[in-house]
Amino acid sequence: MCGIVGYTGQADVGGILVSGLRRLEYRGYDSAGVALYADGDSELTVVKTSGKIVDLEASMQAELPESKPFSSMGIGHTRWATHGAPTQINAHPHSSDNKEIAVVHNGIIENYADLKAHLIADGCTFNSETDSEVIAHLVQQCYQGDLRAAVTAAVKKLTGTYGIAVISTKHPGTIVAARSGSPIVVGLQDDETIVASDVSAIVSRTKQVIFLNDGDIVTATGGDVEITSMSSTTVTRESTLIDWDVDEIEKGGYDHFMLKEIHEQPAAIATGLRGRLDETEGTVRLGGLRMTPMDMARVPRMILAACGTSYYAGMVGKYYFEDFAGIPADIQQAAEFRYRNPIIEPNACMVAISQSGETADTLAAVREGLMKGATVLGICNVVGSTIARETGRGVYLHAGPEIGVASTKAFSCQVTVLAEMAIMFGRTRRLSASVGREMVRELARLPDIAAAVLEREAEIKVIAEKYAAAEDAFFIGRGYMFPAALEGALKLKEISYMHAEGYHAAELKHGPIALLDEDVPVIVPVPDLPDKEKTIGNMQECRARKSPVIAIATEGDKEIDAYCDDVIRVPRCQEFIAPIPVVIAEQLFAYYVAKARGCEIDQPRNLAKSVTVE
Ligand code: F6R
């Protein structure tokens, strides 16, 4: 979603903002802009464009006079349109009437229409259709010589979510930033400070960062940083050292981040298993849950909440908790959970699954769960993210940064962590040591299983290219293959724009089968597992309607060849592990379909990496 970068220091402000914005491109955006200050000027210089960062750079080159010494501070933004089309005028930064103040904003101001009406009545002129512009006018209205005080007073009038950065000609070298519901991270260096919505924009200059909490306002001047609360008292926040390098957010020789991240899965899964598996006891150790065996044994119900790909990982997790631990489990679409007054019984345990740790709906579900007294665990990838901090307990994926908008390695690591969690819970209940040991041994094989799927890449590419011209596709599956089918369809549609739907294999004949014909391929994860024969029956139903059937089947399973047109092979493994190799095969299939169709794989249209609005 939208991205913020602000810089205060002595280096080339414009260059630093542009390279920071480039690091945020992966989040998805449709316009961009910067606000800069040249010593002595009475107005800020704002350059905006309704395109990509290359267009912004070109506009900066064309519009910024070379002779002008831009220095000391600036702010930049990538916008993902919510209020108003992705035009140059609606791009951020937005300025106050007197052009002394500029603001960049992530989030949504829910009361902007009221505020705008009042500001217009007070004589303000609005240029854009955005909700964000009200902030610039409010800061000007509240300004009485102290920028921090003005920002504090302005944000008190806002309802909704915001991460903002503000500069003013009256305060050269200063950036004031604030957050409520939308992240702001502050990068610390001796004589410079970078403020951003995401550490990716910071990590090339410093790895020492502070994550702001909701209600924090930071005033950064060169290398000095002061954080205050809404009541203007100073607050102390611990800094964190980021444990990954800038080369992890480079493509490393791959054509796309998505392909790189697909290939990172064996290593990412291995990281998520390291030090956690206890083969002797047939269990898993996850200290971050901060739950005793007695706590786990008392849980009457697991509630999993997530969105998108994380939701499908949660579906697999539901099966795990029921199968391994005998705990009734529900997977909830997070947005639905927050608005329907869910019943949470005493001792219930909730698991919020979110790669970014910033998804607005999942965060709201976490807050609802905490409010209703549940033990809320987070499964996040981004260290220091809001969900990770607000839950205060859970498991990090440690999958490394996921830059491609389509989630890949996060899914397999989420599923791995859910299996670990369910085994751990299971051992406090009905899972025996001997079955636990078997499962732990199978988990330990997972990196090799994932690597074996990647070895099939060339074959998957050929099959993907064969079907790349289709306009519609179905994915069907049963049991553990049902969430795998849903995830396969999501991956395909989001990056290739081919209309794809995921269904339970038994559900097809209750309606969607009407759409099948020779132009509609059906992709069927059907490993050599207990439900295979039933799924084969469904494959035959598809072929009877002339649909080409592509099976994702177990290596060496020759029986399947008679029921499909093409086969993608995955290694033999236990049933609970199977969603991971199958989904990796689907990721490669989607990637090569999208590539054959000439799509912009890492930043699909309309999508954002981190969905921080409802
Ligand atoms: C799909 C995808 C999205 C995310 C969803 C939740 O490839 O990436 O569906 O899974 O937006 O995001 P997180 O996991 O960050 O909460």
Side-chain angles (χ1 to χ4, degrees):
M1 220 135 244
C2 307
I4 288 176
V5 191
Y7 175 82
T8 154
Q10 292 314 309
D12 163 29
V13 188
I16 289 171
L17 294 183
V18 166
S19 72
L21 291 176
R22 199 161 268 137
R23 298 279 185 213
L24 298 178
E25 283 192 292
Y26 78 97
R27 297 168 64 97
Y29 71 108
D30 36 45
S31 54
V34 294
L36 301 167
Y37 171 69
D39 285 334
D41 272 4
S42 58
E43 294 184 1
L44 292 166
T45 302
V46 175
V47 182
K48 312 203 270 195
T49 166
S50 66
K52 294 288 176 187
I53 302 301
V54 280
D55 306 315
L56 175 67
E57 240 186 329
S59 303
M60 287 169 73
Q61 260 163 21
E63 291 173 36
L64 297 177
E66 261 179 45
S67 55
K68 218 164 192 181
F70 291 106
S71 63
S72 63
M73 90 289 199
I75 51 177
H77 191 259
T78 47
R79 173 173 186 256
W80 187 83
T82 57
H83 296 59
T87 59
Q88 186 195 23
I89 285 180
N90 288 333
H92 299 210
H94 292 291
S95 306
S96 57
D97 275 340
N98 61 12
K99 308 278 185 272
E100 287 177 5
I101 291 163
V103 174
V104 288
H105 166 231
N106 288 359
I108 289 186
I109 305 305
E110 288 165 6
N111 60 339
Y112 87 99
D114 277 356
L115 292 170
K116 188 169 176 174
H118 282 109
L119 287 160
I120 289 171
D122 291 345
C124 291
T125 309
F126 276 76
N127 297 302
S128 75
E129 301 156 88
T130 65
D131 54 334
S132 310
E133 193 181 340
V134 295
I135 306 171
H137 295 294
L138 279 176
V139 175
Q140 183 189 332
Q141 219 174 45
C142 298
Y143 183 75
Q144 290 175 340
D146 180 338
L147 186 59
R148 177 172 61 78
V151 171
T152 309
V155 295
K156 281 184 181 165
K157 297 178 195 281
L158 305 178
T159 308
T161 53
Y162 58 81
I164 57 169
V166 184
I167 56 171
S168 160
T169 55
K170 296 272 172 53
H171 299 267
T174 300
I175 299 176
V176 178
R179 79 157 272 173
S180 180
S182 194
I184 294 286
V185 192
V186 184
L188 307 170
Q189 269 285 32
D190 291 344
D191 49 7
E192 63 182 31
T193 306
I194 308 187
V195 169
S197 51
D198 180 326
V199 282
S200 308
I202 293 179
V203 80
S204 66
R205 296 198 77 82
T206 176
K207 289 188 180 177
Q208 198 72 46
V209 302
I210 293 176
F211 296 99
L212 293 194
N213 283 0
D214 279 352
D216 288 352
I217 293 147
V218 64
T219 308
T221 312
D224 288 332
V225 162
E226 190 192 4
I227 302 174
T228 46
S229 67
M230 291 291 230
S231 53
S232 297
T233 50
T234 302
V235 290
T236 310
R237 300 276 172 240
E238 294 295 312
S239 69
T240 304
L241 193 65
I242 298 301
D243 65 354
W244 47 267
D245 282 314
V246 79
D247 57 359
E248 293 190 53
I249 48 174
E250 309 281 1
K251 284 189 201 145
Y254 288 94
D255 284 351
H256 296 94
F257 282 111
M258 181 180 178
L259 189 60
K260 175 178 175 245
E261 288 156 10
I262 290 172
H263 278 268
E264 283 171 347
Q265 288 177 106
I269 295 168
T271 306
L273 295 172
R274 198 163 298 130
R276 291 177 175 165
L277 304 184
D278 179 343
E279 203 188 318
T280 315
E281 297 296 333
T283 190
V284 176
R285 310 235 172 256
L286 299 170
L289 303 189
R290 297 197 288 107
M291 290 177 86
T292 64
M294 208 189 292
D295 294 333
M296 289 185 233
R298 269 201 290 252
V299 169
R301 195 160 71 94
M302 297 298 300
I303 303 158
L304 301 117
C307 301
T309 289
S310 299
Y311 174 84
Y312 298 139
M315 267 180 91
V316 179
K318 166 190 157 66
Y319 297 169
Y320 287 160
F321 281 107
E322 291 180 347
D323 282 356
F324 308 172
I327 309 178
D330 291 324
I331 169 74
Q332 310 267 346
Q333 207 290 331
E336 204 45 34
F337 180 81
R338 66 184 291 194
Y339 284 120
R340 67 172 172 73
N341 195 16
I343 297 163
I344 300 181
E345 51 273 79
N347 297 321
C349 185
M350 180 169 166
V351 185
I353 309 159
S354 174
Q355 187 284 130
S356 63
E358 301 294 348
T359 299
D361 286 322
T362 311
L363 178 59
V366 164
R367 290 178 178 158
E368 185 66 19
L370 288 169
M371 172 89 79
K372 290 202 153 93
T375 299
V376 185
L377 310 171
I379 298 182
C380 297
N381 191 32
V382 178
V383 174
S385 56
T386 310
I387 293 174
R389 286 184 297 131
E390 292 206 10
T391 52
R393 51 167 94 194
V395 185
Y396 276 121
L397 301 182
H398 294 306
E402 193 180 66
I403 305 292
V405 164
S407 191
T408 51
K409 61 180 176 175
F411 175 88
S412 30
C413 292
Q414 286 164 339
V415 171
T416 305
V417 165
L418 284 161
E420 292 177 319
M421 255 189 199
I423 292 172
M424 194 173 168
F425 272 77
R427 289 290 288 118
T428 70
R429 308 159 78 105
R430 66 175 190 177
L431 191 67
S432 68
S434 63
V435 177
R437 270 183 221 115
E438 235 180 80
M439 300 179 91
V440 163
R441 276 196 289 270
E442 188 69 354
L443 273 179
R445 271 189 350 109
L446 199 41
D448 291 340
I449 291 172
V453 184
L454 298 175
E455 281 167 20
R456 300 274 184 179
E457 182 172 357
E459 294 156 44
I460 297 173
K461 177 171 183 273
V462 170
I463 298 172
E465 286 168 353
K466 180 172 166 189
Y467 294 100
E471 281 314 314
D472 306 278
F474 280 88
F475 285 70
I476 58 169
R478 290 171 175 267
Y480 281 104
M481 293 302 110
F482 176 34
L486 297 175
E487 172 60 8
L490 175 61
K491 218 74 318 165
L492 183 62
K493 75 182 108 183
E494 69 180 326
I495 60 165
S496 75
Y497 314 141
M498 185 190 292
H499 168 234
E501 292 193 48
Y503 271 94
H504 192 281
E507 187 64 22
L508 210 58
K509 56 182 151 309
H510 296 287
I513 202 165
L515 296 172
L516 297 190
D517 64 25
E518 61 275 20
D519 296 325
V520 183
V522 182
I523 297 97
V524 191
V526 56
D528 194 8
L529 293 168
D531 281 338
K532 186 178 107 177
E533 300 308 327
K534 287 193 173 54
T535 307
I536 286 177
N538 303 124
M539 290 161 73
Q540 287 178 297
E541 289 161 8
C542 299
R543 291 189 100 197
R545 274 84 195 169
K546 299 198 170 55
S547 275
V549 170
I550 304 150
I552 304 178
T554 305
E555 266 162 22
D557 177 4
K558 291 284 168 218
E559 184 199 355
I560 210 75
D561 297 4
Y563 304 104
C564 58
D565 298 84
D566 289 283
V567 194
I568 295 171
R569 301 281 176 189
V570 292
R572 187 171 290 281
C573 59
Q574 279 191 25
E575 190 176 13
F576 79 100
I577 294 288
I580 294 178
V582 163
V583 167
I584 295 175
E586 291 172 341
Q587 293 165 355
L588 286 169
F589 179 80
Y591 175 82
Y592 282 109
V593 170
K595 199 165 181 196
R597 289 162 74 102
C599 299
E600 222 183 307
I601 293 175
D602 280 332
Q603 291 161 39
R605 67 183 178 215
N606 304 335
L607 294 186
K609 183 68 186 158
S610 168
V611 183
T612 49
V613 296
E614 285 186 43

